[in-house]
Amino acid sequence: MALTNSQYDTIMRGYDRRQYENYRRQCARTDEIYEKFPRIREIQEAMSACSIRQAERLFDEEPDALEILRQELSSLRAEKEQILKKAGYPVDYMEMQYTCPDCKDTGYVGQKKCHCFRQKEIELLYSSSRLQSVLEKENFSTLSYDVYDETQRTSMPPIIRTCQEYALNFRKDGKSMLFYGSVGTGKTFLSNCIAKELLDKGFSVIYFTSFQLFELLSGAISGGSENFRQAYEPLLESDLLILDDMGTELSNTFTVSKLFQILNERMLAGKSTIISTNLSLQDFRDIYSERVFSRITSSYTLLKFTGSDIRIRRKIAGSR
Ligand SMILES: [Zn+2]
């Protein structure tokens, strides 16, 4: 699973925070116990002293002395556990309680990422998005030709094939696509199919509805292109960016110029983008400017979706 640097940092910061919080909790539990049972503080201090002496003796050739210390430690531990047990506390109450004992909240087991890290990775990649649950239902294996009308049964197979091949042969080469045409003809469904395929292969995919994207772009960014890169790093760095439902948002020249910058930088960096819109090409150009339009038409594969609205047809079929 390919994370961007900033996504990786976000996850690692999460571990730092978790370690700190767990440490704070351990301190609070220890304070609580010390206050209730001063004897435990004494035991704890005696145990540390023992451990230090034990360490010092390791270099001496005195096996008896070491054995005595070991026994002392174990009887101190037993006394402490007994006090805790008697008072109804778990014996490990004063130990560090890890959220994930497998990696001790470091995210790594040896050199390998822990399962809890993998999970976070997926959450982050699948979710900037509402993708996670959607992709279980919307993928190439659930795609059915039954939903299409007469004309779509002819027009859709080549489109679907193009999408399947796109996902199958996906390389980090900036091949991009524009899905345009009638409402409810399965554009989002197909971009989800591609997203699922690529995420399963370990590519990073970011999904935005145009509404979400333009909300993000409406924020002011001071400074030059370096700040721009930083602010929109995940948008610029993901292997695939999906912009869904373009044309439903409120855009202005400011946000459209940022959109151009993002599409352009991605193109120069060899990153792929899939844009879907219910707009006609004419309307698309009118809204997003000639500059954006010609960038897209000159280098994207254009797929035109036609026919009637699948969702409406389904509803009618369902109400019969
Ligand atoms: Zn873990």
Side-chain angles (χ1 to χ4, degrees):
M1 207 55 79
L3 289 170
T4 62
N5 287 341
S6 78
Q7 284 173 325
Y8 181 84
D9 291 344
T10 304
I11 292 181
M12 292 314 285
R13 268 200 305 279
Y15 282 114
D16 288 346
R17 197 164 47 239
R18 186 181 277 185
Q19 282 174 23
Y20 178 69
E21 280 164 7
N22 284 333
Y23 169 72
R24 289 288 301 271
R25 286 194 196 106
Q26 184 196 20
C27 292
R29 288 194 304 273
T30 304
D31 289 346
E32 175 197 343
I33 292 296
Y34 283 173
E35 187 154 314
K36 282 191 185 161
F37 313 102
R39 172 65 190 146
I40 288 190
R41 185 196 290 268
E42 287 168 21
I43 293 174
Q44 207 68 27
E45 282 163 6
M47 282 170 80
S48 331
C50 259
S51 304
I52 293 167
R53 268 184 292 153
Q54 203 176 29
E56 288 166 356
R57 287 291 157 85
L58 276 178
F59 302 101
D60 303 345
E61 304 264 313
E62 276 187 81
D64 289 352
L66 263 182
E67 185 51 35
I68 291 167
L69 279 172
R70 206 170 289 136
Q71 279 173 15
E72 209 178 317
L73 258 176
S74 105
S75 81
L76 282 167
R77 193 174 298 117
E79 192 193 342
K80 173 181 140 186
E81 289 184 4
Q82 211 178 6
I83 298 173
L84 286 171
K85 247 192 219 164
K86 224 174 122 189
Y89 286 98
V91 290
D92 63 354
Y93 190 69
M94 295 165 71
E95 307 299 320
M96 182 74 107
Q97 308 291 338
Y98 297 106
T99 309
C100 175
D102 294 336
C103 65
K104 296 191 162 68
D105 300 334
T106 59
Y108 281 82
V109 179
Q111 298 292 312
K112 279 193 153 173
K113 285 176 183 168
C114 182
H115 57 86
C116 66
F117 191 109
R118 295 279 176 206
Q119 186 56 38
K120 285 189 189 310
E121 215 166 39
I122 289 167
E123 278 165 21
L124 208 66
L125 293 174
Y126 275 61
S127 70
S128 18
S129 69
R130 22 99 262 177
L131 279 187
Q132 205 162 16
S133 59
V134 172
L135 294 189
E136 282 163 23
K137 288 178 243 143
E138 304 196 350
N139 56 65
F140 282 123
S141 72
T142 64
L143 189 146
S144 159
Y145 287 86
D146 297 345
V147 298
Y148 297 125
D149 66 20
E150 207 67 31
T151 53
Q152 286 163 338
R153 284 196 192 132
T154 321
S155 64
M156 286 307 291
I159 291 179
I160 292 167
R161 237 181 349 263
T162 305
C163 291
Q164 279 171 326
E165 276 163 19
Y166 181 85
L168 191 70
N169 304 318
F170 189 83
R171 299 272 176 280
K172 298 185 181 183
D173 60 2
K175 259 180 102 176
S176 297
M177 298 197 282
L178 174 71
F179 298 169
Y180 71 103
S182 329
V183 179
T185 45
K187 295 186 287 292
T188 302
F189 188 99
L190 273 177
S191 59
N192 284 343
C193 292
I194 293 171
K196 169 86 166 85
E197 205 71 15
L198 296 191
L199 284 166
D200 287 349
K201 282 187 183 174
F203 291 107
S204 57
V205 178
I206 291 200
Y207 172 98
F208 274 95
T209 62
S210 71
F211 184 80
Q212 292 167 326
L213 176 77
F214 279 83
E215 197 167 68
L216 192 73
L217 296 184
S218 64
I221 293 178
S222 53
S225 63
E226 204 35 57
N227 291 19
F228 183 86
R229 295 213 101 262
Q230 245 173 6
Y232 298 121
E233 195 174 88
L235 269 177
L236 295 170
E237 281 191 14
S238 63
D239 296 324
L240 177 65
L241 167 67
I242 297 178
L243 299 180
D244 198 20
D245 231 359
M246 292 278 281
T248 53
E249 77 293 333
L250 282 174
S251 55
N252 54 42
T253 46
F254 173 66
T255 50
V256 166
S257 119
K258 278 188 183 170
L259 171 70
F260 176 79
Q261 214 171 331
I262 282 171
L263 297 182
N264 199 40
E265 290 222 15
R266 286 188 62 82
M267 199 174 291
L268 294 174
K271 306 279 187 186
S272 305
T273 307
I274 293 179
I275 294 176
S276 79
T277 180
N278 296 329
L279 299 172
S280 67
L281 291 181
Q282 176 81 49
D283 289 341
F284 193 89
R285 186 181 54 198
D286 291 348
I287 292 181
Y288 298 110
S289 79
E290 183 64 43
R291 195 162 69 135
V292 170
F293 182 72
S294 64
R295 249 296 171 273
I296 289 174
T297 47
S298 66
S299 56
Y300 282 39
T301 302
L302 306 189
L303 294 179
K304 184 176 183 183
F305 288 63
T306 53
S308 56
D309 191 326
I310 293 166
R311 284 165 294 190
I312 289 178
R313 240 181 12 257
R314 263 196 188 142
K315 264 186 204 153
I316 294 169
S319 65
R320 266 184 203 144

